[in-house]
Amino acid sequence: MTYQQFLTEIQLQIHSLFDTDVTVQLHKIQKNNGVTLDGLTILQKDCNISPTIYLNDYYKEYQAGKSIQNIILHIREIYRAYRPSSSVDVAFFTNFENVRHRILFKLIHYQKNEELLKEIPHFRYLDFAVVFYCLLSSSSQGNATILIRSTHLSYWNVSADELYSYALENTPAQLPADFEPLMPLLNKLMPMPFPADSMEEESETPLYVLTNKARLYGASCILYPNLLDSIADKLTCDFYLIPSSIHEFLILPVLPGTCIQDLNAMIHEVNSTQVEEEEILSDHAYFYSRSEKLLTSMPEERTTI
């Protein structure tokens, strides 16, 4: 079965599980870094929103031997777990006074998103783009966000500068920064603690995680006023920022003889093997100078510090 045949079959079989009042649709969804995914939505007559269920990975499972029937059952379980209980009032979003406290910012890679950036308000920062979104809801089950586009500004009658002003106030307040040593954080998140010898290795080369409490687009914490300066004061040294994903940076204090080429090679390797394409933030490290209070890029041509 080809990929297009697979999509059509999934759509037909999902529709057969529901009555005629349900609309099952396929959509091309443009994601970060130019990634386009095939999403499926199930719209019921009394509700105008639906979770988007992406089908690309399901086709990989099908190719690996998973049956269509099992895939259908899993999609139905996902829908039942995340379907909204009521419709969204569209008029709520068109009134800027209703949403201005929900305007937040996030970081994406500038060059990898040049097409998307033609349609959305943004600001250039290093090799990033600062873009804006509206956080409608956040819970343990997921986050409902809307990317803010230039068309929104026209009917809100606000400027990109105003958006940034609101986001600079809202984002640190609603998504406070979280700065922790890497290994204790992993031990909190993982069901089994790491062995003691791993802790000893970690203490020799200390790594820290910078994100936010929700771990949602936490790389944008580097934009929080005075945050990087306070981290440098806490570490009492300069440091490198390793872009782990759009959700966090790793912080590495500067050590004698650090080779930026090796650091960048590691970032390339992790991005190509461990990080989903749409989650990648950047392919190289950054450097924060404590004395200059300045964040700069560390491209590959700069080999040592």
Side-chain angles (χ1 to χ4, degrees):
M1 188 183 300
T2 67
Y3 182 57
Q4 289 303 317
Q5 290 171 332
F6 173 81
L7 294 179
T8 301
E9 184 67 18
I10 293 292
Q11 183 181 20
L12 291 173
Q13 291 208 32
I14 288 293
H15 192 273
S16 69
L17 298 177
F18 298 91
D19 57 38
T20 55
D21 288 337
V22 167
T23 302
V24 180
Q25 297 178 320
L26 295 173
H27 307 271
K28 294 285 185 183
I29 309 294
Q30 186 178 8
K31 305 289 283 186
N32 189 38
N33 294 335
V35 174
T36 300
L37 298 179
D38 291 288
L40 179 139
T41 57
I42 304 168
L43 282 171
Q44 298 192 355
K45 187 176 182 179
D46 58 349
C47 188
N48 64 358
I49 57 173
S50 166
T52 298
I53 301 170
Y54 297 105
L55 302 180
N56 305 68
D57 286 341
Y58 283 114
Y59 185 64
K60 296 176 184 177
E61 294 179 10
Y62 167 75
Q63 290 180 308
K66 191 170 185 176
S67 70
I68 287 287
Q69 189 58 35
N70 283 337
I71 291 173
I72 294 296
L73 292 176
H74 190 259
I75 291 174
R76 184 174 67 176
E77 290 173 5
I78 294 295
Y79 173 72
R80 286 176 171 174
Y82 293 99
R83 65 182 176 186
S85 57
S86 60
S87 293
V88 167
D89 181 6
V90 178
F92 174 86
F93 188 71
T94 58
N95 185 339
F96 187 68
E97 286 302 307
N98 291 333
V99 299
R100 65 185 179 91
H101 295 297
R102 303 169 185 260
I103 302 297
L104 311 179
F105 53 46
K106 63 180 179 179
L107 287 181
I108 61 176
H109 193 270
Y110 189 92
Q111 188 174 8
K112 292 180 180 180
N113 290 281
E114 286 183 314
E115 286 302 311
L116 175 64
L117 293 174
K118 293 176 182 178
E119 305 174 5
I120 61 177
H122 64 276
F123 291 93
R124 183 79 181 259
Y125 178 62
L126 300 177
D127 52 355
F128 305 125
V130 183
V131 301
F132 305 93
Y133 65 100
C134 180
L135 181 61
L136 296 179
S137 66
S138 180
S139 69
S140 58
Q141 290 188 321
N143 305 285
T145 66
I146 297 177
L147 182 66
I148 295 176
R149 299 182 177 271
S150 299
T151 52
H152 295 133
L153 299 192
S154 61
Y155 61 70
W156 284 340
N157 194 27
V158 298
S159 67
D161 286 336
E162 288 175 292
L163 274 190
Y164 184 79
S165 178
Y166 284 116
L168 188 60
E169 179 180 351
N170 295 339
T171 313
Q174 297 184 32
L175 300 174
D178 187 29
F179 176 69
E180 299 183 58
L182 175 61
M183 196 57 66
L185 176 61
L186 290 178
N187 279 329
K188 285 196 298 184
L189 297 177
M190 301 295 285
M192 294 293 290
F194 282 80
D197 56 351
S198 295
M199 294 291 287
E200 292 172 4
E201 291 177 9
E202 185 272 340
S203 63
E204 295 175 6
T205 307
L207 268 176
Y208 301 83
V209 179
L210 176 61
T211 182
N212 56 45
K213 298 296 184 182
R215 283 160 176 73
L216 174 67
Y217 305 134
S220 66
C221 286
I222 65 171
L223 302 175
Y224 291 6
N226 304 316
L227 179 60
L228 295 184
D229 189 39
S230 67
I231 290 174
D233 286 344
K234 183 177 293 186
L235 299 178
T236 65
C237 64
D238 301 335
F239 56 83
Y240 302 109
L241 293 95
I242 301 170
S244 177
S245 78
I246 57 175
H247 302 294
E248 66 278 313
F249 275 99
L250 296 180
I251 302 293
L252 174 66
V254 169
L255 300 173
T258 300
C259 178
I260 297 304
Q261 279 188 328
D262 289 345
L263 198 56
N264 287 338
M266 180 269 292
I267 294 170
H268 276 286
E269 175 68 18
V270 171
N271 280 347
S272 62
T273 60
Q274 305 295 325
V275 185
E276 295 289 340
E277 179 65 28
E278 64 267 29
E279 301 273 288
I280 292 174
L281 179 61
S282 177
D283 291 322
H284 64 83
Y286 300 80
F287 174 75
Y288 187 78
S289 167
R290 185 187 182 198
S291 61
E292 298 180 28
K293 301 183 185 296
L294 181 65
L295 179 65
T296 55
S297 294
M298 295 298 300
E300 289 189 37
E301 57 265 24
R302 293 184 61 182
T303 57
T304 57
I305 286 290

